[in-house]
């Protein structure tokens, strides 16, 4: 473990960009880890990946709860935060140079006019007038999986990540594969819009009992948490079955739904899709990923497992 | 007039970015003028504005006919081009350092799958499969004026300009106010997505008879060209009327429509809107712009005039 080192806390866009340009002028690679805070070991593994991505490297962690990726019905107001705790954790890694934690990143306008929303409405747009109205959309990848029940989510993610990329101008950006669809959306966006950024997908970090780490886990009761273990258990069982020759996706999906439902989960979706395109498959004859989302109590959890039966 | 100087011709994205980063490392401001080629004096005035924007400055002109801003029914196939002539004209200015003229800027994919189009279809998407699917949209500003009859136009413009910004990483970008809505869309996009770019709007350049310069003017017959003068004439008359106290927009618009129609024009729209928001107004009591689009023969022409009755 590296010695603790206090990261510089930056609140202002222009200061952030200037900081980043100075680091690059010093010959450093700038690596960014975008987060919404309330950090856990999953995030810290992203930080490690950023620190290992180049040498010399300057690591920036952003902490910003992005309103535009939440629908008005979602949990923006209750999204957990602990800035002081986050800073301590980041300092303890010894590899974080700066924390970018702005108050607000959107121009809210004067509120004189209603903004067009293209049918999708986020927490941001409730306040919008002649304010922010530019959206980045990855039109096919944003639609399935979480996009089906969260129509503004990936639009909000792609837009805030574009903003962060333009403010920080990083060379490297690290995203967790826990948010698998998000990672693929960002990869596609970077390719399609020619961002000069290498996107690194970092493996899921799990609790010792298998639960994928998430800031939302804190909202689970002890009982819900126990039942939520059915998510990772059913995914591991599915992979075992697939590697043993059961590659029929319908059967495998039904089994996962059944396991989670028996444990009190409300399944949002269970899908088996190609890893890069996220197109659903019927047979596992290439690199696929099983993606699931389910509610346990009032908490929506997602998880996934990559499987390649050919390897 | 400066001495002729041959600009460096760059075809490749990575080479373009490297060129731009070298110029900036030398302490130069990088200024870009995005064009679709077939250059005329209007474009050259943008180049002059770019050259005057900073000192020392490196001026890049891009020449790329962007398929994604044309609908399949539009004139992509017949859009005029003259690369050798363009280069001569740019060399004659003595201030252009590089010309970025790539073969194609979109990933066309393998064509295995149909791309989602969100209801809008461009010349690009006819070829799309698992190719390009990321779009930048400025949702309110893109809708009125030219956006009403050209639903993919500003989506295509915002997206290609985002790509060019990410490839060239300019400090300054110059757009012509001839394409007034385009200029406002880009300004808003730059604000909303935090591009570190100063956007300069450059005044319309006109032929001696008043016709706004456009690459499409070459398609006008002598007779059509004569009739098309009714566009600029009606705009100048409208401004004179407004400055003389006739600020009733309905009356002014009707007069413009009448003048162009009498001259054989097929009016697409005549709108009087606020300069920054492009929201239609009924009375000219602030900075407004009259925007018109009309067909003369097979050529769609646009023009506009800014008016501020308070100044």
């Amino acid at each position: 473990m590296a010695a603790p080192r206090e990261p510089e806390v930056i609140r202002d866009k222009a200061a952030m960009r200037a900081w980043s340009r100075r680091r690059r002028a010093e010959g450093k690679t700038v690596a960014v880890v975008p987060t919404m805070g309330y950090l856990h070991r999953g995030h810290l593994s992203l930080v490690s990946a950023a620190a290992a991505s180049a040498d010399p490297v300057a690591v920036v962690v952003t902490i910003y709860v992005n309103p535009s990726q939440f629908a008005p019905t979602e949990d923006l107001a209750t999204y957990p935060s602990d800035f002081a705790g986050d800073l301590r954790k980041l300092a303890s890694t010894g590899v974080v140079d700066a924390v970018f934690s702005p108050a607000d990143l959107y121009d809210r306008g004067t509120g004189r006019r209603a903004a067009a929303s293209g049918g999708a409405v986020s927490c941001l747009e409730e306040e919008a007038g002649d304010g922010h109205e530019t959206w980045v959309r990855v039109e096919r990848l944003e639609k399935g999986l979480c996009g089906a029940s969260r129509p503004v989510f990936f639009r909000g993610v792609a837009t805030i990540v574009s903003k962060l990329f333009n403010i920080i101008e990083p060379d490297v950006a690290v995203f967790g594969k826990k948010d698998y669809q998000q990672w693929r959306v960002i990869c596609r966006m970077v390719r399609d819009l020619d961002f000069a950024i290498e996107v690194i997908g970092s493996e899921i970090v799990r609790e010792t009992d298998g639960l994928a780490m998430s800031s939302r886990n804190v909202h689970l009761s002890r009982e819900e948490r126990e039942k939520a273990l059915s998510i990772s258990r059913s995914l591991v069982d599915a992979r075992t079955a697939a590697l043993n020759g059961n590659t029929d996706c319908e059967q495998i999906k039904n089994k996962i739904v059944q396991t989670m439902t028996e444990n009190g989960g409300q399944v949002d979706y269970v899908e088996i899709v190609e890893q890069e395109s996220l197109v659903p498959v019927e047979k596992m004859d290439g690199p696929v990923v099983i993606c699931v989302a389910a509610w346990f109590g009032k908490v929506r959890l997602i998880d996934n497992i990559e499987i390649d039966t050919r390897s």
Side-chain angles (χ1 to χ4, degrees), chain A:
Chain A
M1 189 107 180
R5 180 156 56 108
E6 290 296 327
E8 187 172 341
V9 175
I10 302 172
R11 303 280 185 185
D12 176 73
K13 290 179 190 184
M16 183 67 246
R17 185 179 286 127
W19 186 95
S20 202
R21 289 187 175 188
R22 278 196 305 277
R23 296 297 88 75
R24 191 185 274 148
E26 292 165 8
K28 287 180 178 156
T29 294
V30 176
V32 67
V33 180
T35 82
M36 300 211 299
Y38 210 73
L39 305 179
H40 49 66
R41 284 195 294 115
H43 295 106
L44 300 186
S45 77
L46 306 182
V47 169
S48 297
S53 68
D55 185 19
V57 67
V59 175
V60 183
V61 175
T62 75
I63 297 180
Y64 179 64
V65 180
N66 173 34
S68 80
Q69 72 194 54
F70 291 81
T73 53
E74 292 178 338
D75 59 347
L76 173 63
T78 58
Y79 199 85
S81 77
D82 175 15
F83 189 69
D86 290 344
L87 271 191
R88 271 195 309 277
K89 288 171 191 165
L90 294 175
S92 76
T93 67
V95 297
V96 178
D97 298 284
V99 171
F100 181 50
S101 177
D104 191 5
L105 282 179
Y106 292 94
D107 195 308
R108 306 299 179 122
T110 60
R112 276 189 307 148
R113 304 192 180 84
S117 67
V121 176
S122 72
C123 286
L124 175 71
E125 281 163 313
E126 289 200 299
E127 302 178 47
D130 53 353
H132 184 94
E133 65 175 69
T134 306
W135 298 104
V136 180
R137 304 190 72 150
V138 183
E139 294 202 348
R140 194 177 55 74
L141 287 174
E142 76 170 16
K143 286 192 166 58
L145 304 175
C146 285
S149 62
R150 305 188 71 188
V152 303
F153 182 72
F154 292 107
R155 185 190 71 163
V157 166
T159 302
I160 192 64
V161 170
S162 291
K163 287 166 69 71
L164 290 171
F165 283 178
N166 286 337
I167 293 166
I168 301 168
E169 300 176 342
D171 305 291
V172 172
V174 184
F175 291 85
K177 286 163 81 168
K178 157 82 156 37
D179 299 299
Y180 201 89
Q181 186 178 12
Q182 170 177 282
W183 172 51
R184 292 299 188 182
V185 162
I186 298 300
C187 288
R188 187 61 62 96
M189 179 188 85
V190 163
R191 183 199 77 173
D192 284 353
L193 296 186
D194 291 302
F195 281 104
I197 295 170
E198 179 196 357
V199 178
I200 295 176
S202 201
E203 299 302 329
I204 296 175
V205 177
R206 298 181 182 281
E207 305 284 359
T208 48
D209 57 13
L211 187 68
M213 295 216 175
S214 165
S215 302
R216 290 188 172 95
N217 291 352
V218 69
H219 293 312
L220 292 167
S221 70
R222 182 185 298 263
E223 190 191 8
E224 286 162 353
R225 197 182 172 302
E226 184 64 35
K227 290 178 168 179
L229 296 180
S230 61
I231 304 174
S232 55
R233 212 168 49 232
S234 66
L235 289 176
V236 170
D237 288 349
R239 181 165 64 181
T240 305
L243 296 179
N244 285 331
N246 179 7
T247 58
D248 182 297
C249 293
E250 203 55 34
Q251 275 183 30
I252 291 176
K253 287 191 289 184
N254 288 341
K255 185 76 195 314
I256 296 169
V257 170
Q258 188 190 338
T259 304
M260 290 196 293
T261 307
E262 283 171 2
N263 282 275
Q266 288 266 18
V267 176
D268 180 355
Y269 64 79
V270 175
E271 295 279 2
I272 305 180
V273 298
E274 287 185 5
Q275 286 183 12
E276 195 175 328
S277 67
L278 305 185
V279 170
V281 295
E282 292 177 3
K283 277 276 180 197
M284 292 196 202
D285 53 5
V288 302
V289 55
I290 309 181
C291 295
V292 308
W295 294 83
F296 284 81
K298 289 187 171 150
V299 189
R300 185 175 178 278
L301 299 171
I302 61 172
D303 201 346
N304 67 79
I305 196 164
E306 288 182 316
I307 302 174
D308 191 345
T309 54
R310 299 174 314 177
S311 61

